[in-house]
Structure formats: C-alpha cells, structure tokens
C-alpha cells in the first residue's frame, strides 16, 4: 500500500482507493489547507502496484519534484514530492 505524508504536520494517510483525491474536499484530510488549494486539486490513480497523479484543473497547478505536470499524468516513484499550492506532500510506497 502507498502512503501520503503531509509535510505541514507530518500526518500520514494510506492511499486506500483506486482513485484518491487531494484537496479541501478530497480523500486526503488535513486541518490546514490554504486558499490556494482547490476543493479537488489533484488525484492519484492506482495502476497495479504504482500510482500516477493528475491535476484536476486546479487554479495553481500540481508539481512533482518541482516540475509542473500540466494537463498530463505523472507516474510516481517512492519518495516523490507532490506540490499542491504551497504545500508539499510526500508519496511513499513503504509507509511511515
């Protein structure tokens, strides 16, 4: 199973769905989401043992390791950093 670690408060959540959304109204819950995070900012999609991330037409975009993904999809590797707005979320296939 994969996990997401929110760098703001070190909370970790399992990516336990085939489609897992990140945003103020997404599956990845956080007490702190600034205004530059869309309600549904981006989503992770399970592809066998891996995941890919896709921006969901957010206002500020989504980046992986500092590179914007635009309208495309990016396959995630263990340890990748996903940037949504000014927040960083670490993707891990190993857990905490």
């Amino acid at each position: 199973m994969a996990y997401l670690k929110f760098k703001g408060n070190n909370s970790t959540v399992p990516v336990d769905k085939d489609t897992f959304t990140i945003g103020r109204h997404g599956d990845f819950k956080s007490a702190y989401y600034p205004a530059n995070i869309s309600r549904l900012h981006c989503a992770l999609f399970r592809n066998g043992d891996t995941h890919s991330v896709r921006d969901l037409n957010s206002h500020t975009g989504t980046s992986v390791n500092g590179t914007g993904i635009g309208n495309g999809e990016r396959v995630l590797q263990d340890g990748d950093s996903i940037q949504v707005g000014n927040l960083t979320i670490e993707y891990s296939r190993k857990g905490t």
Side-chain angles (χ1 to χ4, degrees):
M1 179 179 301
Y3 297 85
L4 295 176
K5 183 176 182 180
F6 177 62
K7 293 288 191 163
N9 64 6
N10 289 328
S11 62
T12 302
V13 296
V15 180
D16 56 0
K17 298 179 178 184
D18 289 338
T19 301
F20 190 90
T21 56
I22 298 171
R24 293 190 326 263
H25 294 180
D27 297 312
F28 186 53
K29 304 293 184 208
S30 173
Y32 174 73
Y33 270 130
N36 67 351
I37 305 296
S38 298
R39 288 181 184 156
L40 294 176
H41 198 98
C42 63
L44 274 62
F45 299 94
R46 187 178 323 202
N47 302 311
D49 290 337
T50 63
H51 289 88
S52 59
V53 62
R54 182 186 315 147
D55 187 78
L56 299 176
N57 298 316
S58 67
H59 291 290
T60 57
T62 301
S63 298
V64 176
N65 299 327
T67 302
I69 62 173
N71 293 327
E73 225 172 270
R74 166 92 182 259
V75 175
L76 295 170
Q77 304 296 320
D78 188 47
D80 278 348
S81 291
I82 304 166
Q83 291 84 36
V84 292
N86 61 355
L87 300 178
T88 301
I89 301 166
E90 182 180 322
Y91 172 81
S92 173
R93 293 181 61 197
K94 300 175 185 173
T96 59

